Amino acid sequence: MRNLLALSVVALFALSALAQENKEGVTKKKYGNMPDATQVDEYTLTNKNGMTMKVITLGGIVTEMHVPDKDGKFADVCLGCSNLAEYLEGHPYFGAITGRVANRIAKGKFTLGGKEYTLATNNGPNHLHGGKIGFDKVIWTGTIYRTEGAQSLMLQYRSKDGEEGYPGNLSVTVRYILTDKNEWRIEYSATTDKATPINLTQHAYFNLAGHSSGTILDHQVKINADKYTPTDDTLIPTGKIEPVKGTPNDFTTPTAIGKRIKDIKADPQGYDLNFVLNGKAGELREIAVVTEPKSGRVMKVSTTEPGVQFYTGNFLDGKQKGKGGVKYSQYGGFCLETQHYPDSINQKGFPSVVLEPGKKYMHTTVYSFGVAK
Ligand code: BGC
């Protein structure tokens, strides 16, 4: 009898710990330490529906995102690593904030204000995602703040003049807002004291069936883009803007990712290109809808940005260690990275990525989760 009583007390404690964990709000705990002993924190945001996301201060990485399916069953739909050691071993920008300039800058060179700047070439001949230690690899300062109908975390980082070769001290704020409508809203802002290129995005890899459930080839994708920016074989835009019509890149009506993937002439094969979004940049408009047929999960994407990089995890090769010992294989996740077009700093015909002192960089993107009706 006494044993039974003790057991039920233990069970009660376990249950209340679980309830605590799933409680609406934001909690903070230590995630680990960097090699130089800097502490990395983990924030858990839970909305009133029980949707939960975990964020670490290393790179502002979203390590987990638990979203309900058509039967109300939750699954973690973001690819990621199991712990800090694995993130530090290296990963393909899972869930991270990328910058100062996301995507590629040809040959790592640009000229601004009559001065030539040289950046790291960390992707073949080109500069990718901010260089060797981009915004995905730095420690951000986290602050929990109050918002009506949402759980919110502010991440801040001050990138010094000359960091990774870029000009100007840049103060960056990224807000992650998990609303009670199951939206993950991201608000980016930045100011600088010297003219600098800036292009911030979120590099989350999604698999709406669950992060470890295989490929995303049967996900149905719609992208509101009539045009795209073709690239050379190092993924630098040629400068042309071409119609998607008649190409495997036409997602103007919902189409399975895998349907025409074999028609793409690239090595490795798959989508890795920038779509020129319809509608007015600067205004928050819906730009993509992704549906996973079995779970019924739907993700809608809205942004103020002019472009989106649609990347289907072509470089994942089954070697990358993932959460719970999973090895992510090719097409194990997809990214819809809302941003300006690649290599904009060197392309006269593309919208400018230059931020001047006294001006404010602003970008809002919303990933909204629901189920197919
Ligand atoms: C790029 C890909 C790259 C991936 C991971 C994407 O934004 O377009 O080419 O492989 O990031 O680094």
Side-chain angles (χ1 to χ4, degrees):
M1 184 64 194
R2 194 183 283 164
N3 276 355
L4 226 133
L5 203 78
L7 252 177
S8 39
V9 169
V10 170
L12 250 173
F13 267 115
L15 265 177
S16 71
L18 210 73
Q20 199 70 33
E21 202 156 275
N22 289 325
K23 230 176 98 190
E24 185 180 352
V26 187
T27 57
K28 174 186 173 184
K29 68 175 192 201
K30 178 179 167 178
Y31 188 69
N33 288 100
M34 295 293 283
D36 71 355
T38 307
Q39 183 166 318
V40 178
D41 293 322
E42 177 192 71
Y43 291 87
T44 303
L45 286 69
T46 307
N47 74 4
K48 75 163 193 227
N49 312 315
M51 180 175 159
T52 299
M53 57 188 281
K54 291 191 187 240
V55 180
I56 57 173
T57 48
L58 170 67
I61 294 173
V62 173
T63 58
E64 294 177 31
M65 168 98 59
H66 298 266
V67 178
D69 69 3
K70 59 180 183 330
D71 303 317
K73 228 176 101 204
F74 283 79
D76 180 1
V77 299
C78 280
L79 277 61
C81 300
S82 296
N83 51 46
L84 184 59
E86 281 185 18
Y87 279 111
L88 295 177
E89 264 172 42
H91 65 103
Y93 303 88
F94 285 147
I97 299 167
T98 40
R100 186 180 292 204
V101 174
N103 209 291
R104 291 175 177 79
I105 294 180
K107 312 269 189 289
K109 286 201 186 297
F110 67 91
T111 303
L112 189 59
K115 199 173 160 210
E116 188 180 76
Y117 292 88
T118 302
L119 312 170
T121 46
N122 56 330
N123 185 252
N126 303 320
H127 177 82
L128 177 70
H129 296 329
K132 289 193 175 130
I133 305 178
F135 290 180
D136 60 294
K137 292 182 188 68
V138 301
I139 305 297
W140 294 68
T141 305
T143 310
I144 300 168
Y145 67 101
R146 293 192 73 82
T147 32
E148 198 58 43
Q151 305 302 329
S152 304
L153 173 68
M154 178 165 73
L155 294 163
Q156 288 176 299
Y157 179 66
R158 190 164 191 272
S159 170
K160 291 203 188 81
D161 188 6
E163 189 175 307
E164 285 295 328
Y166 289 104
N169 291 296
L170 184 77
S171 299
V172 188
T173 300
V174 179
R175 292 165 193 266
Y176 288 164
I177 302 160
L178 175 63
T179 76
D180 288 339
K181 292 184 188 150
N182 290 2
E183 298 157 325
W184 170 26
R185 185 182 172 96
I186 310 168
E187 293 176 357
Y188 306 81
S189 62
T191 53
T192 184
D193 58 7
K194 277 187 198 158
T196 179
I198 175 172
N199 187 34
L200 303 179
T201 192
Q202 228 296 340
H203 208 297
Y205 288 65
F206 298 100
N207 184 325
L208 299 181
H211 78 98
S212 58
S213 64
T215 79
I216 42 76
L217 296 175
D218 58 354
H219 285 49
Q220 299 271 331
V221 172
K222 179 173 186 280
I223 302 176
N224 297 337
D226 296 332
K227 293 182 182 136
Y228 74 106
T229 52
T231 60
D232 67 13
D233 55 12
T234 72
L235 294 172
I236 295 295
T238 59
K240 289 193 185 124
I241 292 185
E242 287 182 358
V244 293
K245 210 175 162 74
T247 76
N249 309 329
D250 187 353
F251 285 96
T252 52
T253 54
T255 309
I257 294 177
K259 190 168 175 206
R260 297 162 308 192
I261 208 163
K262 294 280 172 247
D263 301 339
I264 294 172
K265 290 180 198 72
D267 184 21
Q269 222 163 22
Y271 294 96
D272 191 357
L273 86 158
N274 168 65
F275 285 81
V276 173
L277 296 170
N278 297 344
K280 208 168 160 212
E283 282 174 14
L284 189 65
R285 73 254 192 245
E286 187 174 293
I287 59 105
V289 182
V290 186
T291 307
E292 198 285 306
K294 285 188 222 89
S295 65
R297 287 191 189 89
V298 178
M299 184 178 84
K300 294 182 176 167
V301 188
S302 302
T303 191
T304 54
E305 285 296 284
V308 69
Q309 184 80 13
F310 179 43
Y311 172 58
T312 48
N314 317 333
F315 290 99
L316 295 172
D317 58 4
K319 291 192 190 121
Q320 180 64 49
K321 269 195 221 158
K323 286 180 274 190
V326 171
K327 298 254 163 82
Y328 296 120
S329 57
Q330 193 178 39
Y331 315 132
F334 70 90
C335 307
L336 281 166
E337 305 158 49
T338 52
Q339 56 190 291
H340 274 56
Y341 313 160
D343 197 32
S344 288
I345 190 70
N346 291 311
Q347 303 269 356
K348 296 249 156 17
F350 290 179
S352 171
V353 287
V354 176
L355 177 68
E356 303 282 349
K359 293 265 165 36
K360 196 168 182 179
Y361 168 88
M362 293 220 276
H363 159 188
T364 300
T365 289
V366 184
Y367 296 97
S368 163
F369 296 90
V371 290
K373 297 250 162 58

